[in-house]
Amino acid sequence: MAEFVQKVLEIAQRYWPLFWAGTKVTLLISLTGTMIGLAIGLVVGSVRAIQVEPRDSLGARVAKRLIHALTSIYIEVFRGTPMIVQSVFLFYLLKPVFHWRPMVAGIFVISVNTGAYMAEIIRAGIQSVDRGQTEAARSIGMTPMQTMFLVILPQAIKNSFPAIGNEFVVNIKDSSVLSAISVTDLYFQSIGVAGSIFRFTETMTVTASVYLVLTFTTTRILGLIERRMGRPRSSFPASQTMPGNPTF
């Protein structure tokens, strides 16, 4: 056991520049992908929260149902297929068009995958806001757009914050699948180190420790932000689509 620990420490000390370089790429991809995914989720989730009402014209009802169908297909496809399959498929499918590097493709994959989960999180958050607040906003002269962006969405984001934060934590770990398209993240660097010294167990111990530190630190920071927002700390799993009770 002592020999194993000693070897782990030696690998960490000798190859820390590679681990550090991979860690920076992992954080960059996961953070950027989560932010872009949140933006996608805000748009798609807001659209999906729009209900077809009896007073709508025929054209409006058709348009709403078509949009709902298209967004449903997007969500089901990206939530129902593995990210590693999505990364390889999209990277080689769109490479002749965009001529992109693996890093850009990796951010794109994380973003559209996260957007599918965020859309359902935001939709549930919007639905958790009491309908009376929409009526109150409309009664003081707010337009539907103003009501959505100034009244509903801020509360929906606050209600959904635990699940949104958990998506970031999940992306830190799941970004490792992007090594399939040669993204030089932490896992990719670890495989290179392990293959060069033929010490896979010890190397992966270092890698697992780094991931644990990243996720543990992120979780604590998110918990602090939740408390600052006046919410109790959440233990919801990732991609949870049932935010807490609405507050106003």
Side-chain angles (χ1 to χ4, degrees), residues 88-99:
V88 174
F89 176 77
L90 292 174
F91 176 66
Y92 290 104
L93 175 69
L94 300 177
K95 188 174 182 179
V97 179
F98 297 114
H99 304 286

Side-chain angles (χ1 to χ4, degrees), residues 159-167 226 231 233-245:
N159 293 341
S160 305
F161 183 79
I164 293 172
N166 282 336
E167 281 299 318
E226 286 180 38
R231 291 185 53 86
R233 187 173 177 181
S234 172
S235 58
F236 286 166
S239 305
Q240 174 71 31
T241 57
M242 294 181 62
N245 295 328

